[in-house]
Amino acid sequence: MSSLRVLIQRLDKELPLPQYAKPGDAGLDVYARIDCTLAPGARALVPTGIAIALPEGYVCFAHPRSGLAAKHGISIVNAPGTIDSGYRGEIKIILINTDAKESFEVKRGDRIAQLVFQTFESARFFEVEQLPESKRGGGGFGSTGA
């Protein structure tokens, strides 16, 4: 298995660099740079203290942490958040508290999301008057019986 070379700038020297929790994990944990309270239904833009430079042809996605989601209802508003190869600013995570009753305290240094890296293909569009037929056609949103 090959490794992707990603340049990283630590904007907060006291926070750890992103890291895999276990061998074979797809996501690297990232950490909150600030303390904040998420009231029920509230969201917050939480900085991570890092910036990265990805090679062209790669994208980084910020995914929710399953433990935070299952135990506290904490997710990412735009999950997965997209970090393009041209972006050089601090990575920030838009957390949301989906719990209807309990507030959630984010503490500096808490693991708040996971970064997953992928290759992608750029698309070029070719406009046509009509699309070719398919078995599914225009059916969507439950049209397969699920």
Side-chain angles (χ1 to χ4, degrees), residues 67-79:
L68 286 179
K71 294 174 188 170
H72 306 286
I74 303 302
S75 192
I76 297 176
V77 174
N78 60 328

Side-chain angles (χ1 to χ4, degrees), residues 134-144:
S134 74
K135 285 186 179 183
R136 183 172 183 166
F141 299 100
S143 66
T144 60

